[in-house]
């Protein structure tokens, strides 16, 4: 208990917020016509979003870009013979709409690997599980049509007219620098982690809904299990906000000494009802008794 209290008091808590960002792999077309997509591009202004199948490449996303021409697999790549002789050293492109029977996505990847392909782009509008030794990425049918028809490939050899580059995914940051969760999507300001000192851990911010106006007069309660509850008021008639850190559920302290608090909403909204209000308009001490 004393250790938890010391950990808490070392950092001043500022009530701020930030929204999470999404990450994904992307595919660039090198030297050819460009797709319409622009969001999340790692290198070129235009790119194709690609979702890595987490069971492919022995469970690891690529750590370096893969640059090669693609080869188009006929019949969805259901058989090893669907991949042309030129597959070796190239990226396989297989369209699941061309499949005529039940075929495991992992089998398509295995067929690409047998033909010595280095990666598989699977055209599909939903997620796919593809256990395999080579990396597998899912692209939309719209982007699949772009590669097949606009970027194009040689009908005889199956080799694309332009090379592709599959880019490494940009790391996804936590919901904010302190790994907090259950934060509202609309938040007041960007989250903050202070530098700290030789004697004190970094200051830690807590996510606060946009429009809260203020979060002042904070208070803290620690229960017999070491769960920390932090509360602040918005002032009359704005009610108050509540945060909680419960190690068993929320995880241990971060490397920098901050804690991954969970935003619990408003146990008392004052005169304004919002979607963050806890049931029955509980007073703070009653709300704490019901948590976690």
């Amino acid at each position: 208990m004393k250790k938890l209290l010391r950990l808490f008091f070392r950092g001043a808590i500022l009530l701020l917020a930030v929204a999470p960002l999404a990450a994904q792999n992307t595919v660039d077309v090198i030297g050819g016509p460009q797709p319409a997509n622009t969001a999340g591009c790692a290198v070129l202004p235009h790119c194709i979003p690609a979702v890595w199948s987490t069971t492919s490449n022995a469970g690891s996303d690529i750590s370096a870009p893969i640059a090669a021409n693609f080869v188009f697999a006929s019949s969805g790549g259901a058989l090893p013979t669907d991949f042309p002789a030129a597959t070796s050293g190239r990226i396989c492109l297989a369209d699941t709409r061309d499949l005529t029977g039940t075929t495991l996505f992992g089998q398509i990847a295995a067929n690409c690997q047998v033909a010595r392909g280095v990666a598989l782009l699977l055209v599909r509008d939903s997620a796919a599980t593809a256990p395999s030794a080579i990396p597998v990425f899912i692209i939309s049918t719209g982007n699949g049509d772009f590669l097949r028809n606009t970027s194009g490939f040689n009908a005889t050899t199956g080799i694309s007219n332009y090379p592709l580059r599959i880019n490494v995914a940009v790391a996804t940051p936590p919901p904010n620098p302190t790994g907090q969760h259950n934060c509202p999507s609309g938040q007041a300001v960007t989250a903050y982690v202070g530098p700290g000192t030789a004697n004190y851990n970094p200051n830690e911010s807590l996510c606060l809904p946009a429009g809260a106006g203020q979060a002042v007069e904070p208070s803290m309660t620690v229960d017999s299990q070491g769960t920390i509850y932090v509360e602040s008021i918005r002032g009359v008639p704005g009610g108050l906000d509540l945060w909680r850190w419960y190690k068993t559920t929320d995880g241990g302290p971060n490397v920098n000494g901050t804690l991954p608090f969970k935003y619990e909403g408003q146990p008392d909204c004052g005169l304004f009802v919002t979607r963050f209000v806890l049931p029955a308009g509980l007073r703070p001490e009653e709300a704490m008794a019901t948590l976690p």
Side-chain angles (χ1 to χ4, degrees):
M1 179 67 68
K2 290 182 179 179
K3 183 178 180 181
L4 288 171
L5 287 172
R6 285 196 302 268
L7 180 62
F8 178 79
F9 280 116
R10 283 175 184 171
I13 296 179
L14 305 177
L15 305 175
L16 309 176
V18 70
L21 299 176
Q24 63 185 7
N25 298 85
T26 56
V27 178
D28 293 329
V29 178
I30 309 300
Q34 298 298 302
N37 308 93
T38 58
C41 297
V43 181
L44 298 179
H46 298 266
C47 65
I48 293 173
V51 179
W52 169 60
S53 173
T54 57
T55 55
S56 70
N57 204 35
S60 296
D61 199 347
I62 58 174
S63 58
I66 299 175
N69 284 68
F70 75 77
V71 290
F72 182 71
S74 60
S75 303
L79 300 172
T81 53
D82 292 338
F83 293 85
T87 299
S88 180
R90 296 188 168 93
I91 298 168
C92 302
L93 178 66
D95 195 331
T96 59
R97 294 172 295 180
D98 294 336
L99 295 170
T100 57
T102 301
T103 304
L104 297 174
F105 300 129
Q107 184 60 55
I108 299 173
N111 294 338
C112 171
Q113 183 185 9
V114 167
R116 301 196 178 192
V118 295
L120 170 64
L121 294 180
L122 198 61
V123 179
R124 180 176 167 83
D125 281 330
S126 57
T129 300
S132 59
I134 62 172
V136 177
F137 300 91
I138 291 81
I139 62 174
S140 70
T141 54
N143 286 317
D145 288 339
F146 171 83
L147 290 180
R148 291 180 64 168
N149 305 322
T150 304
S151 180
F153 62 93
N154 184 288
T156 302
T157 64
I159 301 175
S160 63
N161 296 329
Y162 305 95
L164 303 181
R165 179 176 53 229
I166 304 175
N167 300 304
V168 177
V170 178
T172 305
N176 60 40
T178 57
Q180 293 169 46
H181 53 113
N182 202 39
C183 292
S185 57
Q187 298 180 38
V189 290
T190 304
Y192 172 80
V193 175
T197 68
N199 297 320
Y200 294 93
N201 287 351
N203 295 342
E204 177 179 352
S205 64
L206 295 180
C207 56
L208 183 70
Q214 63 179 359
V216 296
E217 299 183 19
S219 62
M220 183 193 76
T221 299
V222 181
D223 67 17
S224 60
Q225 298 179 344
T227 306
I228 298 174
Y229 301 96
V230 178
E231 180 184 277
S232 71
I233 65 172
R234 300 187 184 186
V236 178
L240 51 85
D241 295 271
L242 177 68
W243 295 261
R244 176 212 74 189
W245 177 67
Y246 176 51
K247 183 177 180 180
T248 301
T249 300
D250 304 315
N254 299 307
V255 174
N256 65 1
T258 58
L259 299 178
F261 276 89
K262 177 187 177 185
Y263 178 64
E264 292 285 11
Q266 291 184 264
D268 179 2
C269 277
L271 298 180
F272 304 104
V273 177
T274 76
R275 65 186 180 89
F276 298 108
V277 178
L278 294 181
L282 298 175
R283 296 193 309 270
E285 58 271 22
E286 293 173 330
M288 290 178 184
T290 68
L291 301 172

